[in-house]
Amino acid sequence: MQTEAFSELFPLFKGANPETLEWLLSVAVKHEYPANRAVVMEDAWGNAVYFIVSGWVKVRRLSGDEVVTLAILGRGDFFGEMAILDESPRANDVIALSSVRLISVSAQRFIQTLFKDPQLHHRMLQLMVRRLRQTNQRYQIRHRPAAVKLANTLVELAENYGQPTEKGADIFNIPFQDLADVTDISLEETSKIMDKIMSKGWMSIDEERQVIHLLNLKHLNHLANQ
């Protein structure tokens, strides 16, 4: 991947020194995984930072026999940086939801890159603050109706990773259980709300292509802000 395409795909590297990006890409490792394959196991956190070139993954928390999806990430995002920066173990793993292509950079080389380029270091801080704000937003709406919370999740996925369409966006056909976990509502509530949204014509699901068509983001945004 060329440096220009890399910086365009990953907002983290917008405005980064081209020489820094060339060096980073020269030491990066490419990975490809099929759907449902483990990408990072819980004992591998802190070894590298992973950048999603294409596809969708989920971050799961493991606690005994309980498994809960914490986050859903797509093209242009990255993960693994927190384990490197705070050098703490993680009881999480990352699973490919779809076929996925990644680029990884080892922990040592990623830290070296941050020190080489002050602009990159600043962008990293900005994106971490953005993630914190999104987490705070979810916390603030934790007592809102389930439909409002689920609409927030769908809109956020569309804005962050969706493929824009004429009136909305296309996202991966994320399993309802994962949507329920991330939204912090029950699977039953998720199924009922998704059925209602589809009945209104705001959304459709293409099972064969594994795509959720969000057909009316304006109405979903309105619901999310109620």
Short mmCIF file of all heavy atoms in Angstrom, two decimals, residues 168-202:
data_model
loop_
_atom_site.label_atom_id
_atom_site.label_comp_id
_atom_site.label_asym_id
_atom_site.label_seq_id
_atom_site.Cartn_x
_atom_site.Cartn_y
_atom_site.Cartn_z
N GLY A 168 -28.63 6.89 2.69
CA GLY A 168 -28.17 6.31 3.95
C GLY A 168 -26.77 5.74 3.84
O GLY A 168 -25.86 6.41 3.34
N ALA A 169 -26.63 4.50 4.27
CA ALA A 169 -25.32 3.85 4.25
C ALA A 169 -25.51 2.34 4.36
O ALA A 169 -26.52 1.86 4.88
CB ALA A 169 -24.45 4.36 5.39
N ASP A 170 -24.52 1.61 3.87
CA ASP A 170 -24.50 0.15 4.01
C ASP A 170 -23.45 -0.22 5.04
O ASP A 170 -22.33 0.30 5.03
CB ASP A 170 -24.13 -0.52 2.68
CG ASP A 170 -25.25 -0.42 1.64
OD1 ASP A 170 -26.38 -0.06 2.03
OD2 ASP A 170 -24.98 -0.68 0.45
N ILE A 171 -23.82 -1.13 5.95
CA ILE A 171 -22.87 -1.67 6.91
C ILE A 171 -22.94 -3.20 6.86
O ILE A 171 -23.84 -3.76 6.24
CB ILE A 171 -23.15 -1.18 8.35
CG1 ILE A 171 -24.54 -1.65 8.84
CG2 ILE A 171 -23.03 0.34 8.43
CD1 ILE A 171 -24.82 -1.31 10.30
N PHE A 172 -22.00 -3.84 7.50
CA PHE A 172 -22.00 -5.31 7.53
C PHE A 172 -23.21 -5.82 8.30
O PHE A 172 -23.69 -5.16 9.23
CB PHE A 172 -20.70 -5.81 8.19
CG PHE A 172 -20.60 -7.31 8.25
CD1 PHE A 172 -20.40 -8.06 7.12
CD2 PHE A 172 -20.73 -7.97 9.47
CE1 PHE A 172 -20.32 -9.44 7.18
CE2 PHE A 172 -20.65 -9.34 9.54
CZ PHE A 172 -20.44 -10.08 8.39
N ASN A 173 -23.69 -6.98 7.92
CA ASN A 173 -24.83 -7.60 8.60
C ASN A 173 -24.37 -8.17 9.95
O ASN A 173 -24.12 -9.37 10.09
CB ASN A 173 -25.44 -8.69 7.72
CG ASN A 173 -26.71 -9.28 8.33
OD1 ASN A 173 -27.33 -8.67 9.20
ND2 ASN A 173 -27.06 -10.48 7.90
N ILE A 174 -24.27 -7.29 10.91
CA ILE A 174 -23.75 -7.66 12.24
C ILE A 174 -24.77 -8.52 12.97
O ILE A 174 -25.95 -8.17 13.02
CB ILE A 174 -23.44 -6.38 13.04
CG1 ILE A 174 -22.36 -5.57 12.31
CG2 ILE A 174 -22.98 -6.72 14.45
CD1 ILE A 174 -22.32 -4.12 12.73
N PRO A 175 -24.35 -9.64 13.53
CA PRO A 175 -25.30 -10.48 14.27
C PRO A 175 -26.03 -9.70 15.36
O PRO A 175 -25.43 -8.84 16.03
CB PRO A 175 -24.39 -11.56 14.88
CG PRO A 175 -23.22 -11.65 13.93
CD PRO A 175 -23.01 -10.23 13.47
N PHE A 176 -27.29 -10.00 15.54
CA PHE A 176 -28.11 -9.26 16.50
C PHE A 176 -27.54 -9.35 17.92
O PHE A 176 -27.65 -8.40 18.70
CB PHE A 176 -29.55 -9.77 16.47
CG PHE A 176 -30.35 -9.28 15.30
CD1 PHE A 176 -29.74 -8.59 14.25
CD2 PHE A 176 -31.71 -9.52 15.22
CE1 PHE A 176 -30.48 -8.14 13.16
CE2 PHE A 176 -32.46 -9.06 14.14
CZ PHE A 176 -31.84 -8.38 13.10
N GLN A 177 -26.97 -10.50 18.27
CA GLN A 177 -26.41 -10.62 19.63
C GLN A 177 -25.27 -9.64 19.84
O GLN A 177 -25.15 -9.04 20.93
CB GLN A 177 -25.92 -12.05 19.87
CG GLN A 177 -25.38 -12.28 21.29
CD GLN A 177 -26.45 -12.07 22.35
OE1 GLN A 177 -27.40 -12.86 22.44
NE2 GLN A 177 -26.32 -11.04 23.18
N ASP A 178 -24.43 -9.43 18.83
CA ASP A 178 -23.34 -8.46 18.95
C ASP A 178 -23.89 -7.04 19.03
O ASP A 178 -23.38 -6.22 19.81
CB ASP A 178 -22.38 -8.60 17.76
CG ASP A 178 -21.65 -9.93 17.76
OD1 ASP A 178 -21.25 -10.38 18.84
OD2 ASP A 178 -21.48 -10.52 16.68
N LEU A 179 -24.91 -6.73 18.24
CA LEU A 179 -25.54 -5.42 18.33
C LEU A 179 -26.14 -5.21 19.72
O LEU A 179 -26.03 -4.12 20.29
CB LEU A 179 -26.64 -5.28 17.26
CG LEU A 179 -26.19 -5.04 15.83
CD1 LEU A 179 -27.40 -5.06 14.90
CD2 LEU A 179 -25.44 -3.71 15.69
N ALA A 180 -26.77 -6.26 20.25
CA ALA A 180 -27.36 -6.17 21.58
C ALA A 180 -26.30 -5.91 22.64
O ALA A 180 -26.48 -5.05 23.52
CB ALA A 180 -28.13 -7.45 21.90
N ASP A 181 -25.19 -6.63 22.57
CA ASP A 181 -24.12 -6.46 23.55
C ASP A 181 -23.56 -5.04 23.52
O ASP A 181 -23.40 -4.40 24.57
CB ASP A 181 -22.98 -7.44 23.27
CG ASP A 181 -23.32 -8.87 23.65
OD1 ASP A 181 -24.35 -9.09 24.31
OD2 ASP A 181 -22.55 -9.79 23.27
N VAL A 182 -23.24 -4.55 22.33
CA VAL A 182 -22.64 -3.22 22.20
C VAL A 182 -23.60 -2.13 22.65
O VAL A 182 -23.19 -1.13 23.25
CB VAL A 182 -22.19 -2.98 20.74
CG1 VAL A 182 -21.77 -1.53 20.53
CG2 VAL A 182 -21.05 -3.92 20.37
N THR A 183 -24.89 -2.35 22.39
CA THR A 183 -25.90 -1.36 22.74
C THR A 183 -26.32 -1.46 24.21
O THR A 183 -26.92 -0.54 24.75
CB THR A 183 -27.14 -1.53 21.84
OG1 THR A 183 -26.72 -1.52 20.47
CG2 THR A 183 -28.15 -0.42 22.04
N ASP A 184 -26.00 -2.59 24.85
CA ASP A 184 -26.38 -2.85 26.24
C ASP A 184 -27.90 -2.98 26.38
O ASP A 184 -28.51 -2.38 27.27
CB ASP A 184 -25.85 -1.76 27.16
CG ASP A 184 -25.93 -2.15 28.64
OD1 ASP A 184 -25.92 -3.37 28.92
OD2 ASP A 184 -25.99 -1.25 29.50
N ILE A 185 -28.49 -3.77 25.48
CA ILE A 185 -29.90 -4.13 25.57
C ILE A 185 -29.99 -5.63 25.33
O ILE A 185 -29.00 -6.28 24.99
CB ILE A 185 -30.78 -3.37 24.56
CG1 ILE A 185 -30.33 -3.66 23.12
CG2 ILE A 185 -30.75 -1.87 24.85
CD1 ILE A 185 -31.19 -2.97 22.07
N SER A 186 -31.17 -6.20 25.50
CA SER A 186 -31.32 -7.65 25.34
C SER A 186 -31.42 -8.03 23.87
O SER A 186 -31.75 -7.21 23.01
CB SER A 186 -32.56 -8.14 26.08
OG SER A 186 -33.73 -7.69 25.42
N LEU A 187 -31.17 -9.30 23.60
CA LEU A 187 -31.31 -9.82 22.24
C LEU A 187 -32.77 -9.71 21.78
O LEU A 187 -33.03 -9.37 20.62
CB LEU A 187 -30.84 -11.28 22.18
CG LEU A 187 -31.01 -12.00 20.84
CD1 LEU A 187 -30.25 -11.28 19.73
CD2 LEU A 187 -30.54 -13.45 20.96
N GLU A 188 -33.70 -9.98 22.69
CA GLU A 188 -35.12 -9.90 22.34
C GLU A 188 -35.49 -8.47 21.95
O GLU A 188 -36.21 -8.25 20.95
CB GLU A 188 -35.98 -10.36 23.51
CG GLU A 188 -37.47 -10.33 23.24
CD GLU A 188 -38.30 -10.78 24.43
OE1 GLU A 188 -37.71 -11.08 25.50
OE2 GLU A 188 -39.54 -10.82 24.30
N GLU A 189 -35.01 -7.49 22.72
CA GLU A 189 -35.29 -6.09 22.39
C GLU A 189 -34.69 -5.72 21.03
O GLU A 189 -35.32 -5.04 20.21
CB GLU A 189 -34.71 -5.17 23.47
CG GLU A 189 -35.46 -5.20 24.79
CD GLU A 189 -34.76 -4.38 25.85
OE1 GLU A 189 -33.52 -4.50 25.98
OE2 GLU A 189 -35.44 -3.63 26.58
N THR A 190 -33.47 -6.19 20.79
CA THR A 190 -32.80 -5.90 19.52
C THR A 190 -33.60 -6.44 18.35
O THR A 190 -33.82 -5.74 17.34
CB THR A 190 -31.39 -6.49 19.52
OG1 THR A 190 -30.63 -5.92 20.59
CG2 THR A 190 -30.67 -6.22 18.21
N SER A 191 -34.04 -7.68 18.44
CA SER A 191 -34.80 -8.30 17.35
C SER A 191 -36.08 -7.54 17.08
O SER A 191 -36.44 -7.27 15.92
CB SER A 191 -35.11 -9.76 17.69
OG SER A 191 -33.93 -10.51 17.84
N LYS A 192 -36.80 -7.17 18.13
CA LYS A 192 -38.07 -6.46 17.96
C LYS A 192 -37.86 -5.08 17.33
O LYS A 192 -38.61 -4.66 16.44
CB LYS A 192 -38.77 -6.30 19.31
CG LYS A 192 -39.36 -7.60 19.86
CD LYS A 192 -40.05 -7.36 21.20
CE LYS A 192 -40.68 -8.64 21.74
NZ LYS A 192 -41.34 -8.43 23.05
N ILE A 193 -36.83 -4.37 17.80
CA ILE A 193 -36.58 -3.03 17.28
C ILE A 193 -36.12 -3.08 15.82
O ILE A 193 -36.56 -2.27 14.98
CB ILE A 193 -35.54 -2.30 18.15
CG1 ILE A 193 -36.09 -2.09 19.55
CG2 ILE A 193 -35.15 -0.95 17.53
CD1 ILE A 193 -35.04 -1.72 20.58
N MET A 194 -35.25 -4.03 15.50
CA MET A 194 -34.78 -4.17 14.12
C MET A 194 -35.95 -4.50 13.20
O MET A 194 -36.06 -3.96 12.09
CB MET A 194 -33.69 -5.24 14.03
CG MET A 194 -32.41 -4.89 14.76
SD MET A 194 -31.45 -3.56 13.98
CE MET A 194 -30.54 -4.51 12.75
N ASP A 195 -36.86 -5.37 13.63
CA ASP A 195 -38.03 -5.71 12.83
C ASP A 195 -38.90 -4.46 12.61
O ASP A 195 -39.42 -4.24 11.50
CB ASP A 195 -38.86 -6.79 13.52
CG ASP A 195 -38.22 -8.17 13.43
OD1 ASP A 195 -37.32 -8.34 12.58
OD2 ASP A 195 -38.61 -9.07 14.20
N LYS A 196 -39.06 -3.65 13.65
CA LYS A 196 -39.89 -2.45 13.54
C LYS A 196 -39.25 -1.43 12.60
O LYS A 196 -39.94 -0.80 11.79
CB LYS A 196 -40.10 -1.83 14.92
CG LYS A 196 -41.11 -0.68 14.91
CD LYS A 196 -41.51 -0.28 16.32
CE LYS A 196 -42.60 0.79 16.29
NZ LYS A 196 -43.05 1.17 17.64
N ILE A 197 -37.93 -1.28 12.70
CA ILE A 197 -37.23 -0.34 11.80
C ILE A 197 -37.38 -0.79 10.35
O ILE A 197 -37.61 0.02 9.45
CB ILE A 197 -35.73 -0.24 12.19
CG1 ILE A 197 -35.57 0.47 13.55
CG2 ILE A 197 -34.94 0.52 11.13
CD1 ILE A 197 -34.16 0.50 14.07
N MET A 198 -37.30 -2.11 10.12
CA MET A 198 -37.47 -2.62 8.76
C MET A 198 -38.90 -2.42 8.27
O MET A 198 -39.13 -2.11 7.09
CB MET A 198 -37.06 -4.09 8.70
CG MET A 198 -35.55 -4.31 8.72
SD MET A 198 -35.03 -6.01 8.39
CE MET A 198 -35.33 -6.75 10.00
N SER A 199 -39.86 -2.60 9.16
CA SER A 199 -41.26 -2.42 8.77
C SER A 199 -41.57 -0.99 8.36
O SER A 199 -42.48 -0.73 7.56
CB SER A 199 -42.19 -2.85 9.91
OG SER A 199 -42.17 -1.91 10.98
N LYS A 200 -40.80 -0.02 8.90
CA LYS A 200 -40.98 1.38 8.55
C LYS A 200 -40.28 1.73 7.23
O LYS A 200 -40.43 2.85 6.72
CB LYS A 200 -40.43 2.28 9.66
CG LYS A 200 -41.24 2.27 10.95
CD LYS A 200 -40.58 3.15 12.00
CE LYS A 200 -41.43 3.23 13.27
NZ LYS A 200 -42.68 4.00 13.06
N GLY A 201 -39.49 0.80 6.72
CA GLY A 201 -38.77 1.05 5.48
C GLY A 201 -37.48 1.82 5.67
O GLY A 201 -36.89 2.31 4.69
N TRP A 202 -37.01 1.93 6.90
CA TRP A 202 -35.77 2.65 7.17
C TRP A 202 -34.53 1.76 7.00
O TRP A 202 -33.41 2.27 6.96
CB TRP A 202 -35.76 3.19 8.60
CG TRP A 202 -36.86 4.13 8.92
CD1 TRP A 202 -37.79 4.66 8.05
CD2 TRP A 202 -37.16 4.69 10.20
NE1 TRP A 202 -38.65 5.50 8.71
CE2 TRP A 202 -38.29 5.54 10.04
CE3 TRP A 202 -36.60 4.56 11.47
CZ2 TRP A 202 -38.86 6.25 11.10
CZ3 TRP A 202 -37.16 5.25 12.53
CH2 TRP A 202 -38.28 6.10 12.35
#
